[in-house]
Amino acid sequence: MTANSAYPRRWKRPPQLITTRRWRLTLPLLVVAYLVLALGSLEIDAGRVVEGLSRGARFIQGFLQPDFVSRWQDIRQGLIESLTMTLTATVVGVLISVPIGIGAAHNLSPRPVYLVCRSIVSVSRSLQEIIIAIFLVAMFGFGPFAGFLTLAFASIGFVAKLLADDIEEASASQIEAIRATGASGLQLIHYAVQPQVMPRLIGLSLYRLDINFRESAVIGIVGAGGIGATLNTAIDRYEYDSAGAILLLIIAIVMLSEYGSSYLRKYLQ
Amino acid sequence: MLTLNQLTKAYSVGDPALRDVTFRVPRGQVVGLIGPSGAGKSTLIRCINRLVEPSSGAIYLDETDLTCLGSRELRRARRRVGMIFQEYALVERLTVMENVLSGRLGYVPFWRSFTRRFPGQDIENAYRLLDRVGLLAHADKRADALSGGQRQRVGIARALAQEPELLLVDEPTASLDPKTSRQIMRLITEICTERELPAIVNIHDVPLAQQFVDRLVGLRAGRMVFDDTPDRLDEAMLTEIYGAEDWTATDQEDDEPESSSDAQISLRLPGAST
Amino acid sequence: MSALDTGPGEPPHYSQVWTFRTPRARLALWVGWVALAALFVWCWQIMNENTLWIFVTDAPSQAADIGSRMFPPELAYLPELLMPLWDTLNIATLGTVGGVILAVPVAFLAARNTTPSALLIRPVALFIIVSSRSINSLIWALLLVAIIGPGLLAGIVAIALRSIGFVGKLLYEAIEETDARQVEAVTATGAGRAQVIHYGIVPQVLPAFWGISMFRWDINIRESTILGLVGAGGIGMKLQSSIDTLAWSQVATILIVILGTVVVSETLSAKVRRALI
């Protein structure tokens, strides 16, 4: 091949994401400025961190050599509370979400019902479990009942929202076809909507079961019962081997339920 | 020159995909590989640059046996073999230029490819190739902004950027319309003649193959059942390769109105490809 | 069973009984529902063994009491919240950056098509992802506060550790879903392993990567508002101290600020993600 100088020997990749020159220059500056400010406002006590490293090592050791035995009574109680409140909260949450989810689908519900249901959903979604738990514990006292209420309330926002979105996405032509037969509102839901969204609803419930278990490990920190309370105590007492055991149990149960629910979902479809 | 010697590929389950395939492709010859789906055409092509590992047999590219190379030598050997893919297989989200330059990846160190600082000569050559396939104006466009025919031209330029000694072409015209298919086939054969490149073109459209290639190899269930010039392929042979079918009727059915005899003649006129 | 029974010479007549499912399937379905109901009742009883129903019946009056104390929110408290809010933003942002940086290699090690060893390394990477995902950031924070002391650093590290699993999982799924032909084409040019990943896979997953990071940042803002409850810095610290002193009107102010932040970050992240796609 003989070199032909008619073609350029340089090529620069044209910018893909940010096409205006001004932004290409200012954006990195803004990022750097933010990082300087943010890192500047960090007050890291280096001595405390170094001191913590040995404790960190002890925790990792505890994680590798977990101690299930010495606190087994507490762990058992915490696990039972977590599991029972997970199940009951999911069942109650899903049962309540179904009517709310139908109400929050704009293709099925009249405008006022739609607005009410959507606002219930957004209130439930915007408040975090832990904040709800703080309030419910203050009202209902310590223990798994407050945890149950927290998880059920949070499930409503999650399941109803996704269910409503699903119904809205359900094929409009099928709904129209059933409506054209002269079916009533309930018949419409039963024949046109239910077959389309039922598998999804089961999938959602199983997914929420999973999330509820994970959350049940957290809300115990503010007194709503469950394994979280046990974990909190273990960490407060610096019993890292017991804490490691609890964390491993949580991971194992989450893995098991994830595997189980994906299997169940496949089976149900 | 490429020599295949008793090439066999067996999977752990099912019938072997290739059985004792032996043939030789001299410089500048374009071989069309025909056969029904599942006959092993794609496997054969991929065995040559070892995207699929052959089970036994030998593949010589000039003096090198490609079947017994370590990973480093294999990468060096792959540079010498350009490949053009079914449905283009461009990296859709990169620019046309980057796609062509990716043909040079085997030649440049990682830091150069990472920072997109390819040697000036490579860039110059990439521009020349884009000009050759008629896409000079599209160098900075993203690959997914091009039409099917244009994308396949980028694919050709990418393969040529490797300065290959052999071209492997896997169903280059699948998903292209009849006119574009002919243009692409013409471009490929022209380039092979210009550069005296040997090529294996895996193709399911028999009339198209007959029109453009120098030699046809027919595969059926992994065995070679035909190896001759295209004009020697008769109905009996087609039945041998593909199974019984009314070939005259299929011919007419397959050819869309566009490739009726008039259109074919007009397409064959020089300059029609641009 | 055939719905259509015809005798010789008779006109066809059709069954008047039609069932949606076979009797067996219906039975299984009923048994399933009854079992679920029984399980529910059983769990309910175990759970409420120690519940003091006096507290439960008392709840409405408690709620009314708290509600009246929360209203009106103490707006004069707002200026004091600005610094903690800035800290919260930093926890979320720096934590996301750290988590994403750690998640990228884990995702490439976990994806079937890029892992160096499906037998040895992939399970390790998957275990990292699962453990990070199954432990909530609040628990990470709890641990880290015990280990490296209370403050922003514990919060940042907690958010980063939690993000590894989330980003890692979504990213490795995106990597596995990449178009194998594009990767094959780059391999065929004789490119090295790193070059194949950089030219074949990275361009395909880049939009997903930015989308996932943005999405996680949005979630992290939400989560970092409460990390202070266990001492990991940010606005949650203020929340904790207001609850401890039963200053419910301050609590109301803080909740309003948290809600506002969450809404703003959600809108922002949705906007950026839409611009990316």
Side-chain angles (χ1 to χ4, degrees):
Chain A
M1 292 273 131
T2 51
N4 184 342
S5 52
Y7 299 106
R9 294 175 66 90
R10 276 160 174 280
W11 175 79
K12 229 175 131 357
R13 182 170 201 257
Q16 302 287 311
L17 210 58
I18 304 155
T19 39
T20 46
R21 190 179 151 74
R22 198 147 45 103
W23 272 110
R24 264 211 312 290
L25 292 175
T26 46
L27 206 62
L29 281 179
L30 287 178
V31 169
V32 169
Y34 168 77
L35 282 180
V36 168
L37 275 176
L39 292 173
S41 68
L42 277 184
E43 284 159 12
I44 296 175
D45 184 350
R48 179 69 180 78
V49 173
V50 171
E51 189 190 319
L53 286 181
S54 65
R55 239 176 303 184
R58 263 180 50 215
F59 166 69
I60 290 170
Q61 215 171 20
F63 198 71
L64 294 175
Q65 292 173 317
D67 175 11
F68 291 90
V69 187
S70 46
R71 295 268 163 213
W72 178 243
Q73 275 308 317
D74 298 341
I75 296 176
R76 201 181 76 106
Q77 182 61 25
L79 269 183
I80 289 176
E81 280 181 10
S82 264
L83 289 172
T84 51
M85 76 180 162
T86 301
L87 187 102
T88 48
T90 311
V91 170
V92 171
V94 170
L95 285 180
I96 300 175
S97 332
V98 170
I100 294 184
I102 292 171
H106 70 73
N107 52 348
L108 286 180
S109 307
R111 193 83 187 151
V113 178
Y114 169 78
L115 288 176
V116 169
C117 290
R118 279 282 164 179
S119 36
I120 295 175
V121 167
S122 47
V123 167
S124 156
R125 278 169 64 79
S126 55
L127 290 174
Q128 293 174 63
E129 279 90 343
I130 195 93
I131 294 178
I132 302 171
I134 291 173
F135 278 93
L136 290 175
V137 167
M139 288 182 216
F140 291 86
F142 292 98
F145 189 77
F148 154 77
L149 287 175
T150 306
L151 294 180
F153 183 67
S155 305
I156 292 172
F158 180 87
V159 178
K161 160 93 175 18
L162 293 175
L163 184 66
D165 291 354
D166 243 34
I167 295 174
E168 287 177 356
E169 270 171 33
S171 156
S173 61
Q174 292 182 34
I175 293 175
E176 212 172 28
I178 299 288
R179 195 169 265 160
T181 65
S184 73
L186 274 180
Q187 285 172 326
L188 184 73
I189 290 167
H190 187 201
Y191 277 86
V193 179
Q194 198 216 13
Q196 290 189 62
V197 298
M198 197 60 191
R200 270 285 284 170
L201 179 62
I202 292 173
L204 280 179
S205 313
L206 289 170
Y207 185 35
R208 187 63 216 187
L209 191 74
D210 214 45
I211 299 177
N212 276 347
F213 178 75
R214 277 180 232 195
E215 290 298 332
S216 80
V218 177
I219 53 179
I221 296 173
V222 295
I227 191 78
T230 324
L231 182 64
N232 199 2
T233 327
I235 293 174
D236 280 349
R237 291 180 185 149
Y238 296 106
E239 289 173 352
Y240 291 129
D241 39 5
S242 294
I246 295 170
L247 289 178
L248 281 175
L249 280 172
I250 294 175
I251 294 174
I253 293 175
V254 167
M255 274 173 87
L256 211 74
S257 75
E258 228 172 61
Y259 180 77
S261 72
S262 74
Y263 176 81
L264 213 68
R265 261 176 289 181
K266 231 175 270 168
Y267 171 78
L268 287 169
Q269 273 162 19
Chain B
M1 188 170 69
L2 176 79
T3 312
L4 301 185
N5 195 4
Q6 299 207 305
L7 186 67
T8 299
K9 169 68 192 175
Y11 291 104
S12 50
V13 285
D15 292 332
L18 291 174
R19 287 184 243 198
D20 295 335
V21 176
T22 303
F23 65 92
R24 174 176 292 218
V25 188
R27 270 188 95 78
Q29 190 182 59
V30 178
V31 177
L33 196 59
I34 57 170
S37 308
K41 296 181 305 223
S42 195
T43 310
L44 174 58
I45 275 197
R46 282 174 170 70
C47 276
I48 294 172
N49 61 2
R50 280 178 54 191
L51 290 174
V52 169
E53 284 296 327
S55 311
S56 68
I59 303 164
Y60 288 97
L61 181 61
D62 295 328
E63 301 306 314
T64 335
D65 184 355
L66 300 179
T67 51
C68 51
L69 296 177
S71 65
R72 183 174 288 264
E73 293 93 49
L74 176 63
R75 282 208 296 277
R76 287 182 175 278
R78 275 181 181 157
R79 304 195 306 209
R80 299 164 60 195
V81 182
M83 189 158 177
I84 296 165
F85 289 82
Q86 184 176 4
E87 288 171 355
Y88 343 117
L90 299 181
V91 182
E92 305 271 334
R93 302 187 62 93
L94 291 183
T95 57
V96 167
M97 192 60 173
E98 282 165 302
N99 270 292
V100 178
L101 285 173
S102 70
R104 302 301 296 169
L105 286 177
Y107 294 89
V108 300
F110 179 71
W111 67 268
R112 264 185 187 277
S113 65
F114 185 79
T115 54
R116 306 276 197 288
R117 277 175 218 274
F118 286 85
Q121 209 184 337
D122 287 359
I123 291 165
E124 190 184 340
N125 195 34
Y127 273 116
R128 182 181 303 120
L129 288 168
L130 280 176
D131 199 9
R132 173 69 187 82
V133 299
L135 291 175
L136 195 56
H138 300 281
D140 282 349
K141 280 194 187 161
R142 246 170 58 168
D144 53 9
L146 301 184
S147 70
Q150 289 173 324
R151 288 192 211 187
Q152 194 54 291
R153 285 158 191 276
V154 178
I156 294 171
R158 170 174 65 188
L160 294 177
Q162 288 174 237
E163 284 168 10
E165 295 158 47
L166 169 71
L167 267 191
L168 302 175
V169 190
D170 187 18
E171 302 279 13
T173 62
S175 69
L176 292 180
D177 65 62
K179 181 176 167 181
T180 318
S181 297
R182 279 173 171 73
Q183 292 170 347
I184 291 292
M185 281 304 289
R186 183 171 303 113
L187 184 62
I188 291 172
T189 46
E190 277 172 9
I191 284 171
C192 287
T193 323
E194 274 166 31
R195 305 189 167 211
E196 289 201 304
L197 266 178
I200 300 182
V201 185
N202 179 344
I203 189 165
H204 65 266
D205 184 342
V206 178
L208 190 66
Q210 282 176 305
Q211 192 180 344
F212 286 103
V213 304
D214 306 320
R215 172 181 161 196
L216 275 178
V217 167
L219 278 186
R220 201 182 103 182
R223 282 183 203 283
M224 266 175 73
V225 289
F226 179 82
D227 181 7
D228 212 329
T229 52
D231 51 317
R232 301 290 285 276
L233 185 73
D234 53 16
E235 254 178 63
M237 202 58 230
L238 276 173
T239 306
E240 164 82 28
I241 300 173
Y242 287 95
E245 178 57 69
D246 181 358
W247 294 107
T248 49
T250 326
D251 262 342
Q252 279 159 6
E253 246 171 55
D254 266 0
D255 282 53
E256 297 291 297
E258 216 185 323
S259 53
S260 67
S261 54
D262 286 2
Q264 265 183 27
I265 290 162
S266 72
L267 283 174
R268 275 173 190 236
L269 290 174
S273 65
T274 48
Chain C
M1 253 204 301
S2 147
L4 188 67
D5 298 311
T6 45
E10 269 175 65
H13 63 93
Y14 302 96
S15 165
Q16 294 212 335
V17 180
W18 173 81
T19 49
F20 181 43
R21 295 185 171 89
T22 62
R24 223 195 151 99
R26 264 189 305 167
L27 187 70
L29 206 65
W30 273 110
V31 170
W33 285 116
V34 170
L36 186 64
L39 187 66
F40 175 79
V41 172
W42 185 56
C43 285
W44 179 265
Q45 277 168 346
I46 296 179
M47 182 181 84
N48 289 318
E49 258 171 9
N50 299 321
T51 304
L52 297 170
W53 294 103
I54 312 161
F55 280 123
V56 177
T57 45
D58 187 37
S61 63
Q62 284 288 332
D65 181 40
I66 294 174
S68 68
R69 282 163 196 256
M70 280 174 83
F71 196 81
E74 191 186 326
L75 292 178
Y77 192 52
L78 272 176
E80 249 186 85
L81 294 176
L82 286 179
M83 211 44 210
L85 192 62
W86 166 248
D87 286 343
T88 299
L89 281 178
N90 290 339
I91 292 176
T93 311
L94 298 177
T96 311
V97 172
V100 165
I101 291 173
L102 293 170
V104 168
V106 175
F108 275 98
L109 295 178
R112 241 180 234 110
N113 46 352
T114 52
T115 184
S117 154
L119 270 180
L120 286 173
I121 295 176
R122 186 162 187 264
V124 175
L126 287 180
F127 183 73
I128 293 176
I129 289 175
V130 171
S131 14
S132 151
R133 263 162 50 78
S134 29
I135 299 173
N136 192 294
S137 49
L138 204 62
I139 298 180
W140 282 119
L142 196 66
L143 270 174
L144 286 160
V145 167
I147 292 172
I148 56 178
L152 288 184
L153 188 66
I156 293 171
V157 178
I159 289 287
L161 287 177
R162 174 71 180 81
S163 304
I164 294 177
F166 181 91
V167 177
K169 175 163 196 274
L170 292 179
L171 192 60
Y172 100 74
E173 284 169 356
I175 295 172
E176 286 187 349
E177 276 166 25
T178 50
D179 182 0
R181 293 173 311 132
Q182 300 181 24
V183 182
E184 192 186 34
V186 178
T187 315
T189 64
R193 214 188 156 77
Q195 288 174 322
V196 172
I197 288 178
H198 184 225
Y199 273 74
I201 292 177
V202 170
Q204 292 193 58
V205 296
L206 213 52
F209 170 79
W210 289 114
I212 295 165
S213 306
M214 240 8 241
F215 187 26
R216 187 64 220 183
W217 176 76
D218 169 22
I219 299 175
N220 282 345
I221 289 271
R222 194 179 260 267
E223 298 205 332
S224 61
T225 55
I226 48 161
L227 290 185
L229 290 176
V230 294
I235 199 164
M237 297 268 243
K238 289 281 175 192
L239 183 62
Q240 181 71 67
S241 60
S242 298
I243 290 172
D244 283 348
T245 55
L246 299 176
W248 291 103
S249 58
Q250 289 181 0
V251 171
T253 316
I254 296 171
L255 287 186
I256 292 169
V257 170
I258 289 180
L259 273 183
T261 318
V262 168
V263 169
V264 169
S265 77
E266 211 165 81
T267 333
L268 194 69
S269 128
K271 271 229 170 86
V272 171
R273 271 185 289 157
R274 207 164 306 145
L276 284 171
I277 300 164

